[in-house]
Amino acid sequence: VYHECREKYTRSQSFGISSHFTKIMFLFSLSVVYFAKALQGSYMKSSVTQIERRFDIPSSLIGVIDGSFEIGNLLVIAFVSYFGAKLHRPRLIGGGCLIMALGSFLTALPHFFQGPYKYETTISHVSETNVTETILPCLVNGSLPGKEPTCEKVAGSSLWVYVFLGNMLRGIGETPVMPLGVSYLDDYAREENTAFYLACIQTIGILGPMFGFMLGSFCAKLYVDIGAVNLDIISITHKDSRWVGAWWLGFLVTGAVMLLAGIPFWFLPRSLHRQGEEPATKNLEATEGEQDGFIAADSSNILSSEKPAPATMSAQVKDFLPSLRRLFSNTIYILLICTGLIQVNGFIGMITFKPKYMEQTYGLPPSKAIFLIGIMNLPAVALGIIMGGFMMKRFKLNVLGAAKICIGASFFSFILLLSQYFLSCENSAVAGLTVSYQGVQEVSYQQQSLLSQCNSVCSCSLRHWDPVCASNGLTYTSPCLAGCQSYTGAGKEMVSCPASGSVNRSVVLGQCPRDQACEHMFKIYMGVSVITAFISASGATPGTIILLRSIQPELKSLALGMQTLIVRTLGGIPPPIYFGALIDRTCLKWGTKRCGGRGACRLYDAHAFRTRFLGLIYGLYSLSYLLYGLLYNRLAHQQKCEALQNQEKAMEQEDNGTASSNGNAPLAFVKCKEDLHKETTI
């Protein structure tokens, strides 16, 4: 007997150590996957401007490409969330990582099929970089031989479809990570540790966007055809709106990271054991161990020592629709979905086009805008997530307390977001588009004209965007329209001088930089943006806890999956499209494709851009706060019902079980009991 007891004790001890190590391994692996998928997603967001320019497509179409990730989620997430909870969840996550890696590699594939990138320009190039070339771009009453590029059908001009499909494939692969990973962790963690674990995962995950934006900034400074062309003859810099960075390089890097991140999940067990349980009770399957949390549930089946027979696939299919009906009969769940849906619309639209907003409003090159988002905003988001999880664990808040933090953080961040409307700069001074050729007044849409007295005899092309900055601080859309008569130098060092009619005026390639006042305004904008990000992120973990504690245990994976399905479908696909279409309407100068047709936008009206972009975000967030009010009212009602139920149970115990729970119960309690039976007890 002694040896038998000792053997059982030793086995249980080793079993506990092994189970604890496996939990740590799963937590670490899930954190790495969150990092890798955030790295992929943020790099995609940081590359939309480069992809838009490379394929010469408008912002509305780049919004469709960006939304293809959510389309991939839509295809499989409902089935993965429901049936995945009955299967080997870690291996499903590992398979998803493999699919995401393949999606990244497919996204980068068009670069290897396309020819060299040829940007629109009115300047002739020479192959020798040390030769000074003299050209006469302005010929009085003459033509410009060789100035209009010959039309050559660009090979693979529709290869953006591969980017669309690769992003969609990433969406399919990402499907099992969130619902199955979070439910797997929540099943086998102590109730008080769940919020802390989620905060740790999300904190490590938020490092992914930080590194993703930094990688995007680095690749945006590298020329798209780096290693294949002579960079000395390239006459544009990374600050030019025609510049295309090495967008494809980052997708190869993120694909390799995701491939490595998914390896540990192939070696993890199908189920773990809840922390704090005795080894004898740790033999439950993953789908039987869903924690009850704040939800009152019958635990007799959970504590049973007999393991029920696994349900067949046909039984699971038959139970799908009833489970769906039970889930959507939960009013709190519906309100959470609607509120999150509206706020995600505003957030996705903002984060997708924020680099372009910073470029057009403050004159930053895309690489610098992307870098600042990654190095300043995202660390603030990480600290905010940690703060939210810490407050939940430190004060042991219930669902109503979590709702107060979530709503309060969102509202105060919205107040700071409103102030960003007034932190703006004037339009870039471009002759004929935003100001007159004398640079003394703004030009309305009806008065826009690229022709003036100084270039009316030059036979200039009005289609091309080849900006030059004059010594008077004005930007002209091409050297010819600036009245330039000669060029000196080559490549980026090429200078045009003098301009027609002014011996003392010269121009250099590129758009004129903004003034010092705009730089000061941008510093204030970044400070407000960082504080806004911190406050908003502090409500992320409490929001997740509200969702986990407001649904029945057996519906947890399905609820998380359906939330992801709905929010990403209606909150991830439409916003980049309608935000992009709205932004396109503020374009002042469109690029021109080599064979004609409208390309990517080169210059926006900064005032109209800011008004429409921020105005739409403000409207969406304002609507979400109306739903937040209804949600809080419903949560308070549910908590009151739970208090009445606990009071009635205490009275029953005092009366030794003789009191009736129905006949003599107050009317308010009877109604609360009906509500709790219909939805869930919080």
Side-chain angles (χ1 to χ4, degrees), residues 112-126:
F112 302 97
F113 293 155
Q114 287 181 304
Y117 172 59
K118 296 182 179 180
Y119 52 90
E120 58 174 323
T121 180
T122 59
I123 299 174
S124 300
H125 301 291
V126 293

Side-chain angles (χ1 to χ4, degrees), residues 662-676:
N662 290 322
N664 300 326
L667 181 62
F669 172 73
V670 174
K671 186 176 186 310
C672 281
K673 192 170 184 179
E674 292 176 355
D675 290 343
L676 294 173

Side-chain angles (χ1 to χ4, degrees), residues 544-560:
T544 305
I545 294 299
I546 295 173
L547 178 63
L548 290 175
R549 300 295 180 263
S550 302
I551 53 180
Q552 296 172 348
E554 66 274 13
L555 299 178
K556 191 182 303 177
S557 293
L558 180 62
L560 290 170

